[in-house]
Amino acid sequence: MAKNIPTKIYLSEEELPRQWYNLRADMKEQHDPFLHPGTLAPIKLEELCGIFIEELSKQELNFTDRYIDIPESVCNFYRMIRPSPLIRAYFLEKILGTPAEIYYKFEGTNTSGSHKLNSAIAQAYYAKEQGLNSITTETGAGQWGTALAMACSFYGLDVDIFMVKGSADQKPDRLEVMKTYGASVTPSPSNKTEIGKRIQQEKPGTTGSLGCAISEAIEVCASRESCKYVLGSVLDYVLLHQSIIGIELKTACEKYDIKPDIIIGCAGGGSNLGGLIGPYMGDKIRGKNNIKFIAVEPKSCPSFTRGKYAYDFGDTGKITPLLKMYTLGNGFIPSPIHAGGLRYHGMSPILSKLYHDGYLEAVAVGQKSVFDAASMFSKCEGILPAPESSHAIKIAIDEALKCKESGEKKTIIFGLTGTGYFDMSAYRMYNAGKMEDTELSDEDLQKGFSSIPDIPQNR
Amino acid sequence: MAKNIPTKIYLSEEELPRQWYNLRADMKEQHDPFLHPGTLAPIKLEELCGIFIEELSKQELNFTDRYIDIPESVCNFYRMIRPSPLIRAYFLEKILGTPAEIYYKFEGTNTSGSHKLNSAIAQAYYAKEQGLNSITTETGAGQWGTALAMACSFYGLDVDIFMVKGSADQKPDRLEVMKTYGASVTPSPSNKTEIGKRIQQEKPGTTGSLGCAISEAIEVCASRESCKYVLGSVLDYVLLHQSIIGIELKTACEKYDIKPDIIIGCAGGGSNLGGLIGPYMGDKIRGKNNIKFIAVEPKSCPSFTRGKYAYDFGDTGKITPLLKMYTLGNGFIPSPIHAGGLRYHGMSPILSKLYHDGYLEAVAVGQKSVFDAASMFSKCEGILPAPESSHAIKIAIDEALKCKESGEKKTIIFGLTGTGYFDMSAYRMYNAGKMEDTELSDEDLQKGFSSIPDIPQNR
């Protein structure tokens, strides 16, 4: 049992990881390969490099190296924004009256406000190393866009960001932060691309979706010299970079003899969850622990809990490679809830495989209950959480209350991915009592499924 | 010379201070006593207790105890929000090409976004201990209001906040954070008070001032049972609480053999600066160092550099005790610059005395140059600074550039009091090239001076 735990555990600079952890090297079975959208054959490195940065494409296809060196320049940047603290939620425990020990790994202390900067800085670094002039990307809630704007500013790289229109409207200040870091930001769908124009024609007044913004970013990228497209979640290489969260977590836990029973994270595209649980999941696969891992998603966008495990496109325009993943269909456009970062139709192929094979559990929660948890947490723990992160808080509280009933003294850890400072329009609605749970109807679910391509699923 | 300095220095929980440092105990001369506004006699404890919380009134009049115990409950809260990191600005040094070593003590990682929470939690604790039902206060930029809202929420106390109207209009999201923590917030001047109504009549369309908001908060407080008024800066007890910044700073510096040559802080009411420099200033007074301390203020509100050292009221309504301080006059209403936290007509009596006696230097800077510094800093150090804090950045950069010219390897430390996440309207103006320096005209200066009461100044 853990003893004498400080409220905040900070690793020293010497303890910071110098390598990322590649979970795939420890998986007994790999997820099915990405397919070329034209030939439906497994995609080759040179094909991936057509869209993606070369070194990242290599990382994407590297299933064997357990550890991958973090470039020195990225390590230096990490020293500026990391370590993130592992915080013992003493006050939350007290208010809940639970015998459980609750901890959270807090990634929101940097200016981007979330864990996204961990991967953004690596991607900008590799883009610079490859001699690119610019990169393009999409952003939902805006955390990824902010992180990439900061990273590109650091390395002197131009970046074009397509921001889901609903989010851009809700968060003009978030958009202004990206501009402050020199990024060019376009609400999506826009008139800058063919796919953007088409989607606006098909769905007049649409508030957009990540799938659609991805299509626009790729289209613009393809039209330019010395430009590549980057992604802030879903792909294996993003989970690789985010493993720094999990490595720090495990180092801190081992230092203080903390033995997690449950680890919880919110899941949109899966980058935070994959990074958070990575090293402990590797141990579980090798029979070294029996930790319960829980992915939490919104009821309005329940990829794990109501999606299909199938090959699907990563974007609405159907131009990305096909990924085998839990998906609601590339044409699915979720209702405009406030956790914009969780509004993606698909899910990380690595996490999808782990969920499919029973290593990972998932649960979907309603928006109102998420904000109830966020409000309680903000008052006792002193941090105003992002709506996305609050999904994990909600389930951590539920698990702690189960311990209260059973009397079990479990150790619960969750990922607090970021802060809600740019989500005050959501809090305003909640404070005014206007927040409602939005659940996906069977009809909309089937409509989304109808966009999943009809190709042979077993390969 | 300091060696092997990590980018971020975090003290361990055991190293966190358990006592505040009372700088006055080491001062050779004290500032002149506060005067009762009616009798003009030095104010007595029981008179102070009429407006202020009892324990805080005692601290205000305690000139002799060098150290004062931090209550256990406040220590526990500090463990949640502190330590704040001392950061080596390696990237800023590199971009400037300076031989100087630059460090900053960053107080912006907590949800209130600034150092204000250090004193807010203490004040809410003492209010609760005294059995009060509610407290009232004012807030300028909103950092103090947010901090107090969080602190009162933690202790289950009602709080009424009068927020300078100009700031409330600029920052609706900042206001919403306070509401999220359960505070009642009123833009000032308001129709809730006599003084608010009068000021609106006298100056139709006014965007308000801290001096005016203070008057409203005190008026409402006086009309209630079991209610006291609290203040987030200026007073000696606030500087006492903020000494935790300086104690942590000195502990960290001594641990790594860092010997500061210059310490810089922005100055509005003086709480951050007073807290930051406290322990080192005590040493300087006792002849133990020769550190140069620099207060940085905006050219539009230059209390130190163009103000008078005189007895003046702390508020526009002339109901506070009289304080001997550098002042632009209680009737002075500064132009609505974006560093709302620095728009106070007066200055901490402790800092005023130190400045008067030559222990402290001061410099006033223009708004445009401050945002130039903020923009540069945000890009290389990865933190989007508050406009207030950026005043200190500007002078730190200037001092580092002087070292570049002279070849001196000085050690420069500045206080980065907070983040600018709720100041995006200011950054928007700057990004659009619309930011201008605003300097106080001689005419407005004289107009402000005319509101300083005509009473015998030497006592």
Side-chain angles (χ1 to χ4, degrees), chain B residues 279-336:
Chain B
Y280 277 116
M281 178 61 88
D283 284 352
K284 179 171 182 168
I285 291 169
R286 290 179 294 164
K288 290 189 175 180
N289 70 44
N290 194 25
I291 296 171
K292 178 170 159 178
F293 299 102
I294 309 176
V296 192
E297 58 186 14
K299 280 191 172 174
S300 57
C301 194
S303 323
F304 272 132
T305 52
R306 296 180 69 193
K308 277 190 182 164
Y309 190 43
Y311 268 112
D312 195 7
F313 293 99
D315 69 321
T316 311
K318 308 186 187 201
I319 48 182
T320 68
L322 287 155
L323 314 180
K324 182 74 173 278
M325 60 183 174
Y326 279 86
T327 178
L328 297 163
N330 62 73
F332 176 75
I333 294 198
S335 60

Side-chain angles (χ1 to χ4, degrees), chain B residues 259-276:
Chain B
K259 295 193 169 58
D261 295 299
I262 305 172
I263 304 182
I264 303 162
C266 62
S271 75
N272 143 68
L273 180 65
L276 177 74

Side-chain angles (χ1 to χ4, degrees), chain B residues 199-404:
Chain B
I199 287 172
Q200 289 181 84
Q201 270 180 347
E202 287 171 5
K203 299 180 182 168
T206 177
T207 51
S209 70
L210 269 178
C212 162
I214 293 173
S215 298
E216 290 204 81
I218 295 179
E219 188 180 319
V220 165
C221 172
S223 72
R224 284 195 193 155
E225 288 292 317
S226 188
C227 178
K228 294 291 169 194
Y229 164 73
V230 301
L231 197 62
S233 191
V234 183
L235 294 181
D236 294 9
Y237 77 70
V238 183
L239 269 69
L240 173 74
H241 304 155
Q242 294 297 354
S243 70
I244 192 162
I245 306 172
I247 302 171
E248 280 187 13
L249 170 66
K250 194 154 173 264
T251 305
C253 284
E254 286 171 356
K255 196 170 166 182
Y256 286 92
D257 202 21
I258 300 164
K259 295 193 169 58
D261 295 299
I262 305 172
I263 304 182
I264 303 162
C266 62
S271 75
N272 143 68
L273 180 65
L276 177 74
I277 66 177
Y280 277 116
M281 178 61 88
D283 284 352
K284 179 171 182 168
I285 291 169
R286 290 179 294 164
K288 290 189 175 180
N289 70 44
N290 194 25
I291 296 171
K292 178 170 159 178
F293 299 102
I294 309 176
V296 192
E297 58 186 14
K299 280 191 172 174
S300 57
C301 194
S303 323
F304 272 132
T305 52
R306 296 180 69 193
K308 277 190 182 164
Y309 190 43
Y311 268 112
D312 195 7
F313 293 99
D315 69 321
T316 311
K318 308 186 187 201
I319 48 182
T320 68
L322 287 155
L323 314 180
K324 182 74 173 278
M325 60 183 174
Y326 279 86
T327 178
L328 297 163
N330 62 73
F332 176 75
I333 294 198
S335 60
I337 59 157
H338 290 284
L342 305 184
R343 294 176 72 236
Y344 183 61
H345 68 273
M347 182 54 66
S348 146
I350 292 179
L351 294 183
S352 292
K353 177 69 178 160
L354 290 169
Y355 180 68
H356 192 68
D357 291 349
Y359 290 105
L360 172 67
E361 302 178 18
V363 57
V365 291
Q367 189 171 218
K368 165 83 166 50
S369 70
V370 164
F371 273 85
D372 287 340
S375 173
M376 180 193 218
F377 180 83
S378 69
K379 283 169 188 162
C380 62
E381 289 291 318
I383 296 170
L384 192 78
E388 291 83 0
S389 327
S390 304
H391 284 69
I393 299 175
K394 159 67 182 157
I395 294 303
I397 290 175
D398 285 357
E399 291 290 336
L401 291 176
K402 280 186 209 165
C403 288
K404 188 177 180 179

